[in-house]
Amino acid sequence: MTDSANRFARAREKQAAALLEDYVELIGDLIAEFGEARVADIAERMGVAQPTATKSIARLKREGLATSRPYRGVFLTDAGAAMADRVRARHRTVVEFLIRIGVPEHVAELDAEGIEHHVSEVTLRRLAGFLRS
Amino acid sequence: MTDSANRFARAREKQAAALLEDYVELIGDLIAEFGEARVADIAERMGVAQPTATKSIARLKREGLATSRPYRGVFLTDAGAAMADRVRARHRTVVEFLIRIGVPEHVAELDAEGIEHHVSEVTLRRLAGFLRS
DNA sequence: CGAAAAGTATAGCACAAGCTATTTATGTAT
DNA sequence: ATACATAAATAGCTTGTGCTATACTTTTCG
C-alpha cells in the first residue's frame, strides 16, 4: 500500500462520514430552534427531496445516531447529540478561522461546509490556537 | 431554497469534482515521473482495485479530461493537463499552509487530501497571501 | 365528522464508486 | 512460435445518495 493510497483511502472515509455529520448537526439545530426536527424541514435545509432525507435518516438510525417513529419527528441519541456538538464546534472554528485570514464571511461559510469534514483533531487544535493568537 | 440548502448543494458539487481532480493530478504525476500512466499504477496509487480505476478513467474520458487506447496508457487532454496543474498548485498551497500554522507534515498531507477540493479561488488566494507574510 | 391539505413513507429508477471473478489482449522468454 | 505471465477490460454485484411518482397517515377546518 503506497502512502498516497492511504491518503486517498482516509479521505474517502472522511467523506462517507460527512453526510451523517451534516444531518446530525442540522437535526440538533432544528430541535434547538423549534423543539423538533421534521423530515420536511430537514429536507429543505439540506437542499434535497423529502424521500432523500427519509433515506438518510434511516441510515442515521441504523448507525445509532438518531431515532424516529413513523409520521413523527426525528430525535438524536446521546451519541448523535455528542456528534452534533462536536461538529458544530468544529464548523464554527473553521468559519472563524477563514474569516480571520481575510476570507469574506459569505465565502467562508460556503467553503467551510466542505472543508470542516476533513479537518483532523490535530489540525483543529492548530486552527483554534491561531484564533487565540 | 434556504441558504443552508445552497451551501450543501455546492459542497456536493465540489465533492463530485474531487475524484476527477485526484485522478487527473495523479495521471499527470505518473506521466512526469515515468513518461506514462498505466492503469495498474493509477489503481495502486489511488488505493483502489484495478477495475475501479478503469471505470473512473472511463469517466475522465467521457468528460474530455483524458484519452486512452485499450491496453495502452492513459493520457491527459489539454483540459486535463490544465486541471492537473491547477490542482497540484492548490494542493501544495494547502499543505504548506497547514505546516505553517504548526500542523505536522504527515498530518498536513492527510488533511490536505480532503480539504483542498473545497478551497475556493478566493480562499486559496488568502492562504497564499498568508504564506507570503 | 368528514373532506381536503399537509406531511411522511414506500416503490422504483439512475448513477457513481467500490468490489471480486473472469475474459481478453499484450509482451516475453524458452 | 507457442506458451506463460502480466496487464487491461468486462461482467456482475453492493451500497450510498439522489430523483419522481404514488400511497398512506395525520392534522386541520368547514
Side-chain angles (χ1 to χ4, degrees):
Chain A
M1 179 82 108
T2 65
D3 282 359
S4 71
N6 275 319
R7 284 208 320 274
F8 288 123
R10 181 175 167 286
R12 283 195 298 269
E13 279 169 29
K14 294 283 177 189
Q15 197 51 42
L19 196 81
L20 297 185
E21 290 182 346
D22 284 335
Y23 271 92
V24 155
E25 181 182 4
L26 175 52
I27 291 166
D29 288 348
L30 288 170
I31 290 174
E33 197 172 337
F34 301 119
E36 63 175 0
R38 312 299 305 260
V39 173
D41 294 335
I42 295 169
E44 187 188 6
R45 293 249 201 143
M46 285 297 300
V48 299
Q50 168 261 308
T52 301
T54 298
K55 202 179 288 192
S56 293
I57 291 163
R59 200 177 145 212
L60 292 185
K61 293 200 277 184
R62 231 186 307 139
E63 311 227 349
L65 296 168
T67 60
S68 81
R69 297 202 329 285
Y71 297 99
R72 288 291 180 282
V74 179
F75 309 92
L76 295 178
T77 62
D78 287 352
M83 178 186 277
D85 289 346
R86 188 166 46 72
V87 170
R88 190 176 298 104
R90 191 185 57 190
H91 180 84
R92 267 202 306 267
T93 299
V94 172
V95 170
E96 280 171 27
F97 169 79
L98 289 174
I99 290 172
R100 181 70 70 86
I101 65 168
V103 177
E105 181 172 349
H106 171 252
V107 176
E109 283 289 350
L110 290 179
D111 285 13
E113 196 56 63
I115 290 173
E116 56 175 327
H117 302 291
H118 299 275
V119 170
S120 65
E121 275 300 314
V122 170
T123 297
L124 184 61
R125 277 196 287 274
R126 287 291 146 198
L127 295 179
F130 179 87
L131 285 176
R132 282 193 305 274
S133 69
Chain B
M1 180 83 107
T2 65
D3 282 358
S4 70
N6 275 320
R7 283 210 319 275
F8 288 123
R10 182 174 167 288
R12 282 195 297 271
E13 278 169 29
K14 293 283 178 189
Q15 196 52 42
L19 196 81
L20 297 185
E21 291 181 344
D22 284 334
Y23 272 92
V24 156
E25 182 184 3
L26 174 53
I27 291 166
D29 288 347
L30 287 170
I31 290 174
E33 197 172 337
F34 301 119
E36 63 176 359
R38 311 300 303 260
V39 172
D41 295 334
I42 295 168
E44 186 187 6
R45 293 249 200 141
M46 285 297 299
V48 300
Q50 169 260 308
T52 302
T54 298
K55 203 180 285 189
S56 294
I57 291 163
R59 201 177 145 213
L60 292 186
K61 293 198 279 184
R62 231 185 307 139
E63 311 226 350
L65 297 167
T67 60
S68 82
R69 299 204 326 285
Y71 299 95
R72 290 292 182 282
V74 180
F75 308 91
L76 295 178
T77 63
D78 287 352
M83 177 186 277
D85 289 346
R86 189 166 44 74
V87 169
R88 189 175 300 107
R90 189 184 59 191
H91 180 84
R92 268 202 305 268
T93 299
V94 172
V95 170
E96 279 172 25
F97 169 79
L98 290 174
I99 289 172
R100 181 71 69 86
I101 66 170
V103 177
E105 182 173 347
H106 170 253
V107 177
E109 283 289 350
L110 290 179
D111 285 13
E113 196 57 62
I115 289 173
E116 55 176 326
H117 302 290
H118 299 275
V119 170
S120 65
E121 275 301 314
V122 170
T123 296
L124 184 61
R125 277 196 287 273
R126 287 290 146 201
L127 295 178
F130 180 87
L131 284 176
R132 281 194 304 272
S133 71

